[in-house]
Amino acid sequence: MKQVKNDEAFVAFERVQKSYDGEVLVVKDLNLTIPKGEFLTLLGPSGSGKTTCLMMLAGFETATHGDIRLDGVSVNNIPPHKRGIGMVFQNYALFPHMTVGENLSFPLEVRKMGKAERETKVKRALDMVQMGDFAARRPAQMSGGQQQRVALARALVFEPELVLMDEPLGALDKQLRETLQFEITNLAHELGITVVYVTHDQTEALTMSDRVAVFDDGRIQQLAPPDELYEKPINSFVAQFIGENNTLTGVVQEIGADRCTVRLDSGDIIDAMPVNVNAVGDRTKVSIRPERVEIDKTRLQPGAHTLKAEVLEFIYMGDIFRTRLRVAGTDEFVIKTRNAPDQVRLTPGTQIEIGWLAQDCRALDA
Ligand SMILES: Nc1ncnc2c1ncn2[C@@H]1O[C@H](COP(=O)(O)OP(=O)(O)O)[C@@H](O)[C@H]1O
Ligand SMILES: [Mg+2]
């Protein structure tokens, strides 16, 4: 992962709110600073306010309250075309009547650039996205992936320091999406540009970003690097939204600084990290990742609690085995084990015992 060069805020949202109808706030109280060169993703379910945030930064929507700054300057009264921001959206929005070359040349003409310089820049931008041979084509004569590469080149051609992308790969098939994810992050890092990227696809967010802001209901639920989001979710929404997660519900029975004991609704007792619970008697959802569950008791701490489980389903997935269990009253408990030569393949109907390290199990809000 790239090191961000300085911590100064290049983009800053301060106490930003947005309402379209004067009543409902679709963005509630956004505070977010993005350093230069960072690849930051807004991730969240549909309707959570991601596009609205991007549109306010681009200047196509105005904030109802608060301040947005770009390189230290408040942009509230600067029109979109004067903000110097490159943009890519899901539905390409290339001009259909123009060739690829003309599409790229257009933002440069708007900036009153001379012909020779325009040609150099267009060529360079197309080469960057491996579309150098396509300058004479029209959008209708290209595949979706090719059009999206051109859209990317068009966003980069005037060498903006900031590029906004709203679900730019949403319309493409999985393999092409993965290729372009890789190309976009490489290009962004090579050029040193700052990217604010929007997606509802958590895998995309985790693989591409330096940091991810998880959105729900107009608020940032957690802002962190990908590994921290996955391994240290701070609430149940994030634990559930990022990656695969097992949830068991219960009540906090004892609580200390870094351990709590939870009595599950099934009556079983387990140990967990108290993350988003405060006191004895609090209801909690405990969260445990499928790959952190141990079926080999020798790998647990002495005295660790274990739970009885019945194997319901065993799925061979090549690199891993995914096993569904009945545990503490739920039939949806999933564990993942590596396909190693000594790893047992669990047969449905088998009774086993499972456990985990308390630090891998997080007691979150109910
Ligand atoms: N132009 C608009 N006028 C009125 N309501 C809008 C408009 N754009 C978005 N909304 C509403 O604002 C909320 C957030 O939308 P949006 O920012 O598009 O979310 P996301 O991009 O996360 O799906 C939604 O409830 C949506 O219906
Ligand atoms: Mg959107």
Side-chain angles (χ1 to χ4, degrees):
M1 197 178 299
K2 165 190 60 83
Q3 288 297 305
V4 173
K5 284 171 218 83
N6 67 54
D7 291 336
E8 263 168 58
F10 181 51
V11 176
F13 289 87
E14 248 177 38
R15 316 225 58 164
V16 169
Q17 297 181 342
K18 174 68 181 176
S19 173
Y20 287 104
D21 60 6
E23 283 181 25
V24 182
L25 289 176
V26 299
V27 175
K28 289 188 172 129
D29 181 26
L30 183 66
N31 294 285
L32 174 63
T33 58
I34 307 171
K36 208 167 211 150
E38 183 168 62
F39 197 113
L40 181 118
T41 296
L42 311 182
L43 169 70
S46 177
S48 57
K50 308 179 298 292
T51 295
T52 300
C53 292
L54 218 56
M55 288 297 133
M56 289 190 288
L57 181 53
F60 297 115
E61 292 290 350
T62 45
T64 313
H65 177 89
D67 196 21
I68 300 175
R69 286 197 306 275
L70 198 51
D71 220 358
V73 179
S74 179
V75 292
N76 291 6
N77 295 312
I78 303 178
H81 65 280
K82 297 230 167 103
R83 295 190 186 189
I85 299 175
M87 273 173 279
V88 191
F89 302 103
Q90 175 168 343
N91 29 8
Y92 332 113
L94 294 173
F95 300 117
H97 58 288
M98 290 185 188
T99 64
V100 165
E102 287 161 356
N103 262 283
L104 263 73
S105 195
F106 182 75
L108 303 178
E109 281 169 47
V110 171
R111 287 171 172 77
K112 312 261 185 272
M113 194 178 282
K115 187 157 187 282
E117 197 182 355
R118 283 201 316 260
E119 278 171 6
T120 313
K121 297 219 170 185
V122 168
K123 184 173 184 321
R124 194 188 319 153
L126 284 178
D127 284 343
M128 278 193 301
V129 297
Q130 284 110 48
M131 293 294 288
D133 296 336
F134 288 72
R137 296 265 186 113
R138 283 176 200 278
Q141 298 170 313
M142 295 183 297
S143 70
Q146 290 169 335
Q147 290 184 51
Q148 210 50 324
R149 280 208 171 89
V150 173
L152 180 62
R154 192 179 60 177
L156 297 173
V157 73
F158 61 91
E159 296 166 8
E161 286 186 281
L162 175 62
V163 177
L164 312 183
M165 304 193 196
D166 194 349
E167 315 241 4
L169 309 179
L172 308 178
D173 65 53
K174 184 166 182 287
Q175 203 168 356
L176 193 54
R177 223 162 54 218
E178 284 171 2
T179 310
L180 279 172
Q181 284 167 5
F182 182 71
E183 288 180 14
I184 290 173
T185 42
N186 274 352
L187 207 52
H189 287 165
E190 264 167 39
L191 299 174
I193 51 180
T194 309
V195 179
V196 185
Y197 192 94
V198 163
T199 182
H200 65 273
D201 178 340
Q202 47 117 350
T203 310
E204 188 162 294
L206 293 185
T207 52
M208 295 181 82
S209 318
D210 296 317
R211 282 190 307 164
V212 179
V214 180
F215 265 67
D216 188 41
D217 193 27
R219 282 185 204 284
I220 294 181
Q221 303 291 323
Q222 188 169 1
L223 171 64
D227 56 344
E228 194 177 321
L229 277 186
Y230 183 79
E231 285 169 37
K232 295 182 174 159
I234 59 164
N235 61 35
S236 289
F237 177 82
V238 176
Q240 215 40 54
F241 195 73
I242 307 282
E244 200 163 13
N245 181 53
N246 291 304
T247 297
L248 299 171
T249 55
V251 174
V252 176
Q253 219 177 24
E254 279 173 42
I255 188 162
D258 59 354
R259 281 295 174 274
C260 64
T261 309
V262 175
R263 184 186 178 84
L264 299 177
D265 295 340
S266 60
D268 295 291
I269 305 288
I270 61 167
D271 295 327
M273 291 262 292
V275 176
N276 202 0
V277 289
N278 298 309
V280 169
D282 280 359
R283 281 204 63 78
T284 178
K285 279 183 181 164
V286 297
S287 154
I288 172 87
R289 297 291 183 194
E291 68 280 9
R292 298 289 182 198
V293 178
E294 285 294 348
I295 52 174
D296 175 359
K297 279 206 282 184
T298 63
R299 298 173 67 164
L300 297 176
Q301 282 150 347
H305 291 295
T306 58
L307 295 176
K308 288 190 171 37
E310 181 184 340
V311 177
L312 298 178
E313 188 178 32
F314 175 87
I315 302 174
Y316 176 88
M317 295 183 74
D319 54 345
I320 60 157
F321 304 149
R322 186 174 184 280
T323 311
R324 190 163 60 83
L325 305 173
R326 175 174 299 144
V327 177
T330 170
D331 283 355
E332 301 300 329
F333 198 98
V334 169
I335 64 174
K336 288 178 182 166
T337 42
R338 215 161 52 82
N339 180 0
D342 58 345
Q343 186 70 59
V344 283
R345 300 184 181 199
L346 296 163
T347 324
T350 314
Q351 305 289 329
I352 60 170
E353 256 184 274
I354 61 167
W356 46 72
L357 302 178
Q359 70 252 30
D360 291 333
C361 181
R362 300 171 71 78
L364 304 171
D365 51 294

